[in-house]
DNA sequence: CGCCTTATTGCAAAAGGTTTGCAATAAGAA
DNA sequence: TTCTTATTGCAAACCTTTTGCAATAAGGCG
């Protein structure tokens, strides 16, 4: 309301997401729109429980979130990440983007930084070739102590 | 029996493990010896359930294995790995070795190859510095289709 | 706009993996 | 051998994720 430009921008993004669902013959439901809205406003991966608690009171069941994330992952609209704490995390992926990237996570406060650097392609290719594997990819996350937690 | 050299070698290794426990004031129990014996004969990470099923009938309870692996991890005698399938895996670590390494896992048959290549140190240092993190390390695993599963 | 079909949801139960409390057991010291 | 106390087995609890099923509602169609 107080910023027409930004408001329009956000509305378009949500529309892009829902149109992507429509294109795949998926229904735009209240819970799904609410979940996308939350993901859209978070730059880092969220657990299903975190999404659940961000949702307005009784907006949607936890099981529905689990099912929604499974579907969004299958459509390539979210990327699943594993920080090693036993709960899957999901992050929205832009169209025409495979979502492959990494994170730097504080082991004290769990704060997260997006990391664009990736494992060197040529080394990965060498690992694949050496062992006769095809379609090789990787899962990689960094862990350390963030600036705040060092104080 | 049929190979004195190898036999001696194995016995020494188990002795090295138990002496390491003794040094840390931990008791050498039947279950612990049996677990170490299994880990010692497996070159790749094992889940607790896998260790359990390798164990002779009623040799030890699953909960005991969970407790043993926690202890061994704390002592740095095993390294925990996460292949992203929801079950922790453990691999024996040699003394004076921090156990840091990686794997290439077949997404069809789950076969595992040890990978010695690591993420480039200088790039990791740069990621740490850029974001003001200290004590940065990483978790990295590769996934693909193994030679057998390509046929 | 209202009806129909059927995907989607809520709820509750179940399914793994992992942890924990407690009484019984046994390792290692004396 | 005895004694102390870490360790074990067992059962229950915990946590995340999945699933069955009847009720609900989205979107297509007349
Ligand atoms: Mn991210
Ligand atoms: Mn290994
Ligand atoms: Zn990468
Ligand atoms: Zn490494």
């Amino acid at each position: 309301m107080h910023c027409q430009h930004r408001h329009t921008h956000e509305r378009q993004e949500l529309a892009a997401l829902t149109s992507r669902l429509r294109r795949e013959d998926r229904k735009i439901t209240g819970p799904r729109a609410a979940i996308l809205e939350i993901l859209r406003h978070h730059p880092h991966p969220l657990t299903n429980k975190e999404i659940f608690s961000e949702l307005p009171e009784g907006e949607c069941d936890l099981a529905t979130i689990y099912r929604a994330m499974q579907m969004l992952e299958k459509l390539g609209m979210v990327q699943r990440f594993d920080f090693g704490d036993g709960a899957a995390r999901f992050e929205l992926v832009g169209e025409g983007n495979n979502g492959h990237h990494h994170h730097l996570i504080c082991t004290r406060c769990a704060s997260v930084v997006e990391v664009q650097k990736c494992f060197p392609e040529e080394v990965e290719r060498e690992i694949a070739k050496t062992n006769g594997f095809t379609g090789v990819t990787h899962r990689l996350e960094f862990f350390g102590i963030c600036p705040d937690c060092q104080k």
Side-chain angles (χ1 to χ4, degrees), chain A:
Chain A
M1 257 20 174
H2 48 68
C3 177
Q4 187 60 44
H5 194 232
R6 175 165 176 66
H7 192 225
T8 299
H9 176 63
E10 286 181 357
R11 211 155 54 191
Q12 283 179 337
E13 281 188 5
L14 183 57
L17 292 170
T18 55
S19 83
R20 194 157 166 197
L21 279 187
R22 237 182 294 275
R23 219 181 307 150
E24 300 274 359
D25 289 314
R26 287 331 203 311
K27 293 182 177 175
I28 317 297
T29 66
R32 287 178 180 175
I35 291 169
L36 288 172
E37 195 57 14
I38 286 172
L39 288 173
R40 215 158 61 77
H41 288 57
H42 284 268
H44 304 308
L46 292 176
T47 65
N48 284 333
K49 212 207 295 182
E50 285 169 343
I51 294 173
F52 182 69
S53 54
E54 296 259 344
L55 241 28
E57 180 94 19
E59 170 73 48
C60 135
D61 192 81
L62 226 203
T64 300
I65 299 179
Y66 274 94
R67 284 189 272 232
M69 301 317 290
Q70 282 183 157
M71 177 209 57
L72 293 173
E73 186 185 20
K74 197 175 311 175
L75 300 191
M77 292 179 62
V78 301
Q79 174 77 24
R80 177 189 296 256
F81 292 98
D82 181 356
F83 288 1
D85 64 350
R89 278 158 219 268
F90 300 90
E91 192 178 316
L92 218 41
V93 170
E95 277 222 69
N97 178 343
N98 73 359
H100 180 91
H101 69 281
H102 311 290
H103 302 90
L104 173 54
I105 302 132
C106 179
T107 51
R108 293 244 175 91
C109 72
S111 65
V112 177
V113 174
E114 301 290 315
V115 171
Q116 55 295 334
K117 295 257 196 270
C118 192
F119 189 82
E121 262 185 61
E122 66 277 14
V123 181
E124 182 167 271
R125 245 181 280 124
E126 188 190 330
I127 291 171
K129 190 175 174 191
T130 299
N131 298 287
F133 274 57
T134 56
V136 171
T137 182
H138 59 267
R139 219 190 275 306
L140 166 65
E141 306 293 352
F142 299 89
F143 300 86
I145 311 290
C146 78
D148 277 359
C149 289
Q150 290 167 38
K151 291 170 190 169

